Amino acid sequence: MDPFWVDFLKGMLQPVAATAVVLMAIVLSFVQKLGLEKEMIYSMARAFLQLSVIGFVLQFIFTQKNIGWILLAYLFMVSVAGYTAGQRAKHVPRGKFVAGASILAGTSVTMFVLLLLKVFPFTPRYIIPVAGMMVGNAMTVTGVTMKRLRDDIKTQKNLVETALALGATPRQATLQLVKRSLIIALSPVLDNAKTVGLISLPGAMTGLIMGGASPLEAIQLQIVVMNMLIGAATVSSITSTYLCWPAFFTKAYQLETSVFSSD
């Protein structure tokens, strides 16, 4: 057998052994009659398969020197993230497009600044993991922002319509609701930054330390990661409000009833 596959299969022994804790969770679910056994098995198998496949894909991309592969991987991540965030905000018109465009704007601007400041070199080994962290975080924040804004406008429908009747523009009528949705969506990101290292060690930092890097070097990278996550999430969430709120109103500055008729 090829030495590559021998090393790979040996390396997979630990991940397979780690499934023991999931089996424990499955047994507990069965004992407690939670009915989550099939979902746990499916989730574990899917994660196992997805990570294995992406490992081979990244192995291939890392050996290439073509910038196209980096951009292709990045756009794929943004597309999946946009679809997922759009699913969360399913009642927002063109939600998947709005989410994807917002995530693309937030992460690309943040990445451009980091590259401009030479924080990271433009190589697949750095760009793809960094982009993945930013896209994943921006996906969550953007989905929450869009869903919360639509739900809040529906709840405060009478107040918004009153403001419109008094001559306010749609943006003015929903300004406080936009602020509230942004604050709620961004609060977990900021809380995580406040407690990072005190409650748990973040993934990037843990990976470096387990890989043999100095804790001081790991801390330096983690500070960069936290900064970029906050930047990308903020730009993405704000962009999503500008892209999605016009769909809530007609050209006559009235609420689009079809958007708020469903739960």
Side-chain angles (χ1 to χ4, degrees):
M1 184 181 291
D2 192 314
F4 170 81
W5 289 105
V6 173
D7 293 339
F8 173 76
L9 293 176
K10 286 183 178 179
M12 292 300 290
L13 291 177
Q14 290 178 322
V16 171
T19 59
V21 294
V22 180
L23 295 177
M24 177 183 65
I26 293 173
V27 171
L28 289 174
S29 174
F30 177 77
V31 172
Q32 295 296 319
K33 295 180 172 60
L34 300 179
L36 295 175
E37 299 86 358
K38 291 183 179 179
E39 187 71 16
M40 288 181 177
I41 294 173
Y42 172 75
S43 300
M44 178 183 67
R46 178 170 173 173
F48 198 93
L49 179 61
Q50 287 177 178
L51 290 174
S52 298
V53 171
I54 199 63
F56 284 107
V57 172
L58 291 177
Q59 180 74 13
F60 170 77
I61 294 177
F62 285 175
T63 59
Q64 306 301 308
K65 296 182 179 180
N66 190 338
I67 187 177
W69 288 107
I70 300 178
L71 296 177
L72 184 63
Y74 169 62
L75 292 176
F76 175 77
M77 290 187 289
V78 170
S79 299
V80 175
Y83 178 85
T84 305
Q87 285 288 91
R88 176 187 290 272
K90 58 184 178 181
H91 296 303
V92 176
R94 300 182 299 118
K96 297 179 180 64
F97 169 78
V98 170
S102 302
I103 295 169
L104 178 64
T107 55
S108 61
V109 168
T110 304
M111 182 65 72
F112 176 76
V113 173
L114 293 175
L115 292 174
L116 193 64
L117 296 175
K118 298 182 178 180
V119 176
F120 294 114
F122 192 73
T123 61
R125 189 170 296 276
Y126 283 92
I127 297 301
I128 294 178
V130 167
M133 286 186 283
M134 286 196 296
V135 169
N137 194 63
M139 173 190 70
T140 302
V141 173
T142 300
V144 172
T145 300
M146 294 167 59
K147 183 179 187 301
R148 184 72 189 195
L149 179 57
R150 183 263 179 189
D151 292 348
D152 281 355
I153 292 177
K154 181 180 180 181
T155 303
Q156 303 292 332
K157 184 178 179 180
N158 292 334
L159 293 177
V160 174
E161 289 180 331
T162 300
L164 293 172
L166 293 175
T169 64
R171 189 69 182 182
Q172 292 171 334
T174 57
L175 182 60
Q176 294 304 316
L177 301 179
V178 169
K179 288 183 178 179
R180 184 187 305 171
S181 65
L182 289 171
I183 291 172
I184 291 175
L186 290 170
S187 290
V189 180
L190 300 177
D191 290 342
N192 188 36
K194 294 174 186 176
T195 59
V196 64
L198 299 178
I199 299 177
S200 62
L201 296 180
M205 182 177 173
T206 301
L208 283 174
I209 293 176
M210 293 179 66
S214 164
L216 296 179
E217 293 176 348
I219 288 172
Q220 293 169 359
L221 176 62
Q222 189 58 51
I223 292 174
V224 173
V225 170
M226 295 307 304
N227 290 339
M228 73 183 190
L229 292 182
I230 293 174
T234 303
V235 175
S236 296
S237 58
I238 292 176
T239 301
S240 70
T241 65
Y242 277 95
L243 292 179
C244 74
W245 73 261
F248 299 151
F249 301 90
T250 65
K251 294 181 179 180
Y253 283 5
Q254 296 175 332
L255 281 175
E256 188 65 67
T257 56
S258 60
V259 177
F260 304 101
S261 59
S262 56
D263 294 327

